Amino acid sequence: MTSSPEDSVNPAEPVEPADPVDPVDPVDSLVLHATDNHVSWITLNRPEALNAITPDQRERLIQHLSHASSDPDVRAVVITATGRGFCAGADLRGGSSTGRPPAGKRVAGDVARTIRLGAQRLIGAVLDCEKPVIAAVNGTAAGLGAHLALACDLVLAADSAKFIEVFVRRGLVPDGGGAYLLPRLIGPQRAKELMFFGDALTAADAARLGLVNRVVPPDDLEKTARDWAERLATGPTRALALTKQLVNASLDTDRTTAFAAEAAAQEINMTTTDATEGVAAFAERRTPHYRGR
């Protein structure tokens, strides 16, 4: 009589449990991430929706920006996208996935809370990131997508890209920090023109207004972004972080406060290894080697 496989197992012997299979997070395929040469590359990957941002994607973007800010091995960040759109804004196609309560179930405070904890947190994460953030705008940037790009420290755009303050077309008030960012970048009159009419702004016109640092052919966008990011990643990281803080705060403060902040930043920076290296390299007439410390 032959024994079955079950008979060959001694019930008294412990059975090793099978290794758990890590579930695949679907958001990982919608927000791609890689770190290369100390540069954190964050890529929106919903090309079929022109990279409109869902709440889950938004939270992942914030997570990546927070990690880049605190990780000493990350020294610059690039935000870009796949397909023909950079970001069409927040996903407003309805349902619970939007993070907004249905109109019939809203109570006072729901919308303000959604904006405060959603779009504004995302823009704040870009502005507050302690590393330089480059937007590589490959296509249309509309609504929150435009503000995501304009919150970045440097903006590169393919010559096919467009920027659209689309809110007025939907009967909405600009959110995601638009009424904060645009007047500081181009002045209140130009900001009102863009927000009142909602016309598409070409990359060339955006550069003329000062919203974009450089316009390049689409095939050159990634290379240019990589060149700029890797150059920043070899720079004095803490000095760049402090410089970013000073510039971002400069339009919200008076001269006395700004001068005091500048002096304090210089005091803090002089304790860094990179500052010591920079001064030594100048005295020794050699190229400095910064380590981001």
Side-chain angles (χ1 to χ4, degrees):
M1 179 176 177
T2 60
S3 62
S4 67
E6 290 82 358
D7 294 335
S8 64
V9 176
N10 184 348
E13 295 179 358
V15 178
E16 291 291 331
D19 292 335
V21 177
D22 292 334
V24 176
D25 189 339
V27 183
D28 287 341
S29 66
L30 302 179
V31 181
L32 307 178
H33 180 258
T35 301
D36 184 31
N37 287 337
H38 301 288
V39 178
S40 174
W41 287 80
I42 304 172
T43 305
L44 297 174
N45 188 38
R46 285 184 76 209
E48 72 284 356
L50 293 179
N51 294 303
I53 297 176
T54 66
D56 286 344
Q57 285 179 292
R58 180 193 68 225
E59 294 305 309
R60 186 57 55 86
L61 283 167
I62 293 171
Q63 182 183 73
H64 285 319
L65 287 163
S66 176
H67 182 266
S69 189
S70 61
D71 186 351
D73 289 330
V74 173
R75 299 172 65 182
V77 178
V78 176
I79 299 176
T80 190
T82 60
R84 60 190 180 89
F86 175 74
C87 177
D91 190 334
L92 298 178
R93 290 181 297 177
S96 60
S97 64
T98 64
R100 302 186 182 206
K105 296 184 179 179
R106 290 178 192 152
V107 298
D110 278 349
V111 174
R113 188 180 309 107
T114 298
I115 298 301
R116 187 171 64 251
L117 299 179
Q120 290 178 352
R121 280 181 58 242
L122 173 58
I123 300 306
V126 178
L127 293 171
D128 295 338
C129 181
E130 296 179 33
K131 310 299 166 59
V133 183
I134 297 173
V137 183
N138 55 298
T140 298
L144 178 59
H147 301 163
L148 174 62
L150 299 179
C152 293
D153 303 301
L154 300 169
V155 182
L156 300 171
D159 56 23
S160 56
K162 290 182 173 62
F163 298 82
I164 311 173
E165 287 296 318
V166 75
F167 299 94
V168 69
R169 300 186 187 181
R170 311 287 183 257
L172 300 175
V173 172
D175 63 31
Y180 173 85
L181 293 167
L182 274 173
R184 285 164 170 75
L185 292 169
I186 59 175
Q189 299 303 110
R190 291 288 195 180
K192 289 174 188 174
E193 179 182 345
L194 295 179
M195 290 179 166
F196 285 2
F197 293 113
D199 294 334
L201 191 68
T202 66
D205 284 341
R208 178 177 54 82
L209 290 176
L211 294 172
V212 169
N213 294 89
R214 186 169 298 179
V215 178
V216 298
D219 290 344
D220 292 344
L221 182 63
E222 181 179 345
K223 179 183 183 302
T224 305
R226 187 174 298 278
D227 289 345
W228 281 32
E230 291 184 355
R231 183 177 174 186
L232 290 168
T234 61
T237 306
R238 294 312 304 165
L240 292 175
L242 290 166
T243 302
K244 173 175 178 172
Q245 291 172 10
L246 289 172
V247 174
N248 284 357
S250 65
L251 295 176
D252 296 328
T253 190
D254 58 88
R255 187 195 70 182
T256 300
T257 303
F259 277 22
E262 177 187 273
Q266 194 71 286
E267 177 76 25
I268 292 168
N269 189 66
M270 289 307 295
T271 67
T272 66
T273 301
D274 282 348
T276 302
E277 165 64 9
V279 172
F282 174 77
E284 297 166 11
R285 298 185 179 183
R286 60 176 174 81
T287 301
H289 177 67
Y290 297 121
R291 298 191 294 119
R293 302 293 197 275

